[in-house]
């Protein structure tokens, strides 16, 4: 099996960081071509820095990291320091990164990579607001049919919203960008809150990361300890949902996830329901299916995979 060539677009974020580590720990399945940072959980200056910190934690100073868009296409930036802390990676003390940020804009890296490589060879893995992806599609529409697949974390249906009653954060921050991506015709696999809220960091699961006895294992445990306090208080749950690693786990073991190929459209006009992913789960309309919208995950197998792979670093 040849490794799938991917670009991770991300707003680290503790869960983004775990997703990046999982990708770097899985070279048989994943060839990470680069990381493009986007403003989301925290401003761009921090997300691009955090992406470099995570690469260095994995000993991978070779991974090119680019800064993308610092604000949504048409709206002001909404951030989530209340969840991720002011640095975006609160929890453990972290060293300043020493690897350089690449000079090319993240959107231009997306465009040049998709133009330079064979059509249908590159998968895009957005873990934050879809601003960079949409900006690339607007600037260079010729790249759209060249994208093999987009596997993204975002949206919600049965689980409803986490930043408003109607919307999940990544889609809420830049609904116009999400609308461009969901209408693009690119094959979409969506990891919404409906599935990520079933991948909860229980104490035994966090203890398993700590028991690895490695620096990455300790970091993941301490990030999780910090990250989960918000969701445990809000939902009264046993742990926090590890949202973004679901995207990477799907590339490695897709059979862990189940969902439906349905129509999903994005609310961009109403301020009450801005960013809602209107998922036609029961196929009550004749709208054309455009996304595989996941609804379930084998959580024990997911965490077994995550722990085993993080243990490789
Ligand atoms: O709503 C969860 C998503 O928003 C995750 O990607 C998290 O990192 C934040 O970006
Ligand atoms: Ca994220």
């Amino acid at each position: 099996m040849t490794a799938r060539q991917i670009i991770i677009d991300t707003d680290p974020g503790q869960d983004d960081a775990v997703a990046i580590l999982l990708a770097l720990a899985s070279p048989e399945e994943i060839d990470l071509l680069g990381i493009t940072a986007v403003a989301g959980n925290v401003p761009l200056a921090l997300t691009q820095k955090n992406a470099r910190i995570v690469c260095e934690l994995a000993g991978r100073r070779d991974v090119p990291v680019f800064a993308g868009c610092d604000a949504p296409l048409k709206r002001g930036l909404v951030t989530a320091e209340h969840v991720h802390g002011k640095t975006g990676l609160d929890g453990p003390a972290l060293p300043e990164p020493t690897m350089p940020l690449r000079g090319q804009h993240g959107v231009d890296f997306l465009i040049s990579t998709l133009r330079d490589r064979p059509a249908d060879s590159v998968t895009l893995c957005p873990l934050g607001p879809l601003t960079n992806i949409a900006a690339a599609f607007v600037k260079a529409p010729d790249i759209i049919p060249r994208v093999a697949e987009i596997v993204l974390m975002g949206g919600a249906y049965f689980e409803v919203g986490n930043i408003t009653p109607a919307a999940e954060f990544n889609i809420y921050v830049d609904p116009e960008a999400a609308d461009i991506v969901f209408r693009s015709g690119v094959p979409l696999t969506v990891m919404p809150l409906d599935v990520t809220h079933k991948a909860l960091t229980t104490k035994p699961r966090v203890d398993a990361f700590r028991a690895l006895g490695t620096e990455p294992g300790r970091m993941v445990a301490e990030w999780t300890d910090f990250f989960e306090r918000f969701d445990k208080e809000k939902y009264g749950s046993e742990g926090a949902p590890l949202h973004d690693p679901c995207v990477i786990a799907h590339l490695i073991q897709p059979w862990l996830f189940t969902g439906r190929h349905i129509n999903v459209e994005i609310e961009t006009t109403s301020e009450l329901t801005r960013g809602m992913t209107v998922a036609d789960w029961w196929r009550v309309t004749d709208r054309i299916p455009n996304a595989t919208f996941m609804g379930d995950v084998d959580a024990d197998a997911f965490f077994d995979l995550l722990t085993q792979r993080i243990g490789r670093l």
Side-chain angles (χ1 to χ4, degrees), residues 157-223:
Y157 189 60
F158 294 105
E159 197 64 13
V160 295
N162 61 358
I163 188 75
T164 72
E168 176 279 326
F169 178 80
N170 288 339
I171 309 300
Y172 175 79
V173 169
D174 198 341
E176 285 74 22
D179 191 42
I180 288 168
V181 171
F182 277 71
R183 292 182 184 278
S184 68
V186 172
L188 279 185
T189 298
V190 180
M191 294 289 165
L193 299 181
D194 302 53
V195 71
T196 68
H197 279 198
K198 296 175 181 174
L200 296 179
T201 58
T202 61
K203 185 175 184 315
R205 289 166 175 169
V206 176
D207 289 347
F209 291 128
R210 197 171 276 112
L212 290 170
T214 63
E215 189 67 352
R218 179 177 74 82
M219 288 289 177
V220 171
E222 293 187 18
W223 277 328

Side-chain angles (χ1 to χ4, degrees), residues 129-149:
L130 292 165
T131 313
N132 287 342
I133 311 300
F137 285 5
V138 169
K139 184 172 183 179
D142 61 288
I143 66 171
I144 297 173
R146 301 182 65 82
V147 180
E149 182 181 12

Side-chain angles (χ1 to χ4, degrees), residues 10-17 40-41 80 83-84 126-129 153-155 162-163 167-171 193 196-197 227 241 243-244:
T10 180
D11 64 335
Q14 290 88 348
D15 59 322
D16 303 66
N41 284 320
V83 178
H84 299 275
L127 310 178
M153 190 279 142
N162 61 358
I163 188 75
E168 176 279 326
F169 178 80
N170 288 339
I171 309 300
L193 299 181
T196 68
H197 279 198
F227 173 73
H243 307 285
D244 295 336

